[in-house]
Amino acid sequence: LYAGISHLRRFAAPYALSFMLTCCTNRGKGDGKKSSRGSDSDSEGSAPDSSNSGSEESVGPAAHQAKRDAELVALDDLSEDQRASKLEAHGWIVPSTGHHFEVADVTRLPGSAAPAVIKAHVRHWLPPPGVTIKATMFFCHGMHVHVNAKPTIAFYDDMSARGYATFAMDLPGHGFSEGENRCMIPDFQGCFDAHEALMRFVLGGCAQDDKAEVALGVDSAVLAALRGKPFFVVGESMGGMIAAFLAQQVAKGTSRELAGGFRGALLLCPSLVVDLPPPPVLWFLRSCVVPAVPHWTMPNSLSSSAATKPYDIFDDAVEQDMITLDNYHMPECGWPGTPGALGWRHGLRWSTANAFLKAFARLEGLMDSIAYPFLVLHDPHDKICFFKGSTDLMDRSRSSDKTLTRVEGGLHGLCANRREEVAQAMDAWMGQRL
């Protein structure tokens, strides 16, 4: 045993030196964008107009991408007021609903003195008058985002017009929700439990039923109607992974009998595969790095999220600008962003990275055990959440009711880039299971 530990230390030493040096140089610098820009752009503090960035055909793919990268970097060089003004002018962030429900704070670390229960922001979309409610959807958002962005609002407005009620929460520490640590998730099980708590709050499976009408901002007659209809779990990106686990938790527990019954999961470009580092590196990360610096963000060289490009998410240049600007403002911690923003582009925190490793270690077992109905919508060329995860789920799941639909050209932001196509596919699939 002693010899084995000594060998492991020798193996991990180079990683330790590299990781800790990089962590120290990046501490408080967010995602490190400033250090990789090269020369400063536009001394006047105005960003290039992305709407006139030129077509890819006219300048060539590589030149177009380089030009677009420069335009996006220039947004960070704007003053705080200029960034906030651009974000507000586009109406990217819809105001808070003012509705909350109490849930455990999943951002807390063990031993924290912060409150264990916080108020999580809830948003809902209901079918308009005259449209019959078909079912209820519970939506799980992706990593470092929230449920208040313009494309999300527009997509679920469309789904409500088709007869589907949707409820979604900003996870603790995200969006308008409270939370001790901004955009940090030490353990995903807390996310699964938080979403199930919302589900039971809406559908009448908890001890606080009498508070639901006021807390959710939904009329008692509408709640009564919802509680007679079936329901589905929906998730996008990281939320797709959360939805896969949540749906399994629901299918195996008492929540499956709520309302008209659980009918399946819809996973949009889900995060279901990752290349895990070697076991010695995993041990080093979990035993040394995460306990020492759980709040720090990972160095760009180790974080795939830091390399995410807005044009890998949205095909619309304005939406690319907006998601770049939607970056939480924490100058007191060394993470300047855009005042009023709710998203997070400062890099993945070590604690969240560790939570991902633990969740992905359970994924193969989850895939093998899934028997509930599911639909996966995914662009085969998604550069953020790889298509292989979706094909693996199809191959491994023992469900007799499973569908994988390729959404070519949808990129990672399917609901924004292929809104009508995705809405039709979801409506058709759910309609057959009502």
Side-chain angles (χ1 to χ4, degrees):
L1 179 61
Y2 177 79
I5 293 174
S6 298
H7 175 74
L8 185 58
R9 285 174 175 168
R10 287 196 299 271
F11 182 89
Y15 290 99
L17 181 61
S18 174
F19 288 172
M20 296 308 293
L21 285 176
T22 314
C23 283
C24 289
T25 56
N26 279 278
R27 184 179 184 185
K29 291 185 179 179
D31 61 359
K33 288 180 181 177
K34 295 276 187 181
S35 63
S36 60
R37 289 180 189 166
S39 59
D40 292 336
S41 62
D42 198 339
S43 59
E44 293 293 323
S46 60
D49 183 359
S50 58
S51 62
N52 297 317
S53 57
S55 68
E56 184 172 321
E57 292 78 5
S58 63
V59 298
H64 175 81
Q65 182 171 309
K67 185 173 186 292
R68 191 72 191 105
D69 284 338
E71 293 170 347
L72 293 169
V73 166
L75 292 173
D76 284 342
D77 291 327
L78 298 177
S79 69
E80 292 179 7
D81 289 344
Q82 287 173 318
R83 291 197 300 271
S85 177
K86 278 181 171 289
L87 198 65
E88 184 178 0
H90 187 66
W92 179 256
I93 296 175
V94 177
S96 167
T97 63
H99 302 302
H100 304 82
F101 84 113
E102 293 186 344
V103 69
D105 184 4
V106 303
T107 75
R108 291 172 77 246
L109 291 171
S112 170
V117 176
I118 55 92
K119 291 181 179 180
H121 174 248
V122 179
R123 188 173 292 281
H124 65 257
W125 295 258
L126 299 175
V131 177
T132 301
I133 299 174
K134 297 178 182 177
T136 303
M137 299 188 296
F138 291 92
F139 172 64
C140 310
H141 69 70
M143 184 174 74
H144 296 167
V145 294
H146 48 88
V147 301
N148 315 288
K150 196 173 182 178
T152 302
I153 301 298
F155 181 80
Y156 288 99
D157 278 345
D158 284 358
M159 294 304 297
S160 67
R162 294 172 182 266
Y164 297 95
T166 303
F167 287 82
M169 62 182 288
D170 289 323
L171 282 171
H174 294 69
F176 290 113
S177 289
E178 297 175 350
E180 180 184 8
N181 296 296
R182 189 71 188 178
C183 287
M184 192 174 90
I185 302 174
D187 191 330
F188 277 105
Q189 184 60 50
C191 298
F192 312 153
D193 295 341
H195 280 290
E196 186 173 10
L198 174 61
M199 186 183 299
R200 298 184 72 86
F201 194 61
V202 173
L203 298 180
C206 72
Q208 298 180 339
D209 285 354
D210 57 329
K211 299 180 180 179
E213 180 180 352
V214 174
L216 298 172
V218 179
D219 183 78
S220 59
V222 176
L223 274 178
L226 293 175
R227 291 172 177 178
K229 301 292 182 179
F231 66 95
F232 298 85
V233 173
V234 184
E236 183 176 29
S237 191
M238 177 193 78
M241 182 267 286
I242 292 175
F245 277 102
L246 171 63
Q248 181 74 339
Q249 187 166 304
V250 169
K252 288 191 168 186
T254 58
S255 294
R256 69 180 183 277
E257 304 297 342
L258 290 174
F262 170 62
R263 300 298 174 88
L266 299 92
L267 312 178
L268 314 178
C269 50
S271 176
L272 297 176
V273 66
V274 70
D275 293 328
L276 294 174
V281 178
L282 280 176
W283 173 87
F284 171 69
L285 292 175
R286 290 173 174 170
S287 303
C288 302
V289 177
V290 175
V293 288
H295 300 86
W296 291 13
T297 55
M298 292 176 62
N300 288 357
S301 58
L302 301 176
S303 173
S304 59
S305 66
T308 297
K309 299 292 187 181
Y311 45 72
D312 293 331
I313 303 173
F314 296 120
D315 57 13
D316 179 77
V318 174
E319 290 177 342
Q320 294 166 17
D321 288 353
M322 292 302 108
I323 199 172
T324 300
L325 292 170
D326 190 7
N327 191 18
Y328 200 75
H329 190 50
M330 293 180 68
E332 69 279 8
C333 297
W335 289 314
T338 302
L342 298 177
W344 182 271
R345 296 188 64 79
H346 298 300
L348 186 68
R349 292 184 188 257
W350 279 113
S351 185
T352 306
N354 186 49
F356 266 112
L357 293 176
K358 291 189 290 185
F360 281 119
R362 296 171 54 191
L363 264 178
E364 288 190 359
L366 172 73
M367 290 181 179
D368 291 339
S369 63
I370 285 178
Y372 56 77
F374 66 83
L375 167 68
V376 182
L377 298 168
H378 209 153
D379 181 352
H381 307 293
D382 189 337
K383 294 181 179 179
I384 297 172
C385 292
F386 301 128
F387 190 69
K388 183 181 184 301
S390 295
T391 58
D392 285 350
L393 176 59
M394 290 294 293
D395 292 341
R396 302 184 72 109
S397 168
R398 57 189 179 90
S399 174
S400 60
D401 183 359
K402 52 187 178 182
T403 304
L404 170 59
T405 299
R406 296 167 178 258
V407 185
E408 298 284 350
L411 304 178
H412 191 60
L414 298 181
C415 295
N417 303 325
R418 296 291 185 272
R419 193 164 97 190
E420 182 65 20
E421 180 182 349
V422 172
Q424 285 183 355
M426 291 173 61
D427 185 11
W429 189 85
M430 287 188 289
Q432 294 169 2
R433 288 155 184 83
L434 296 177

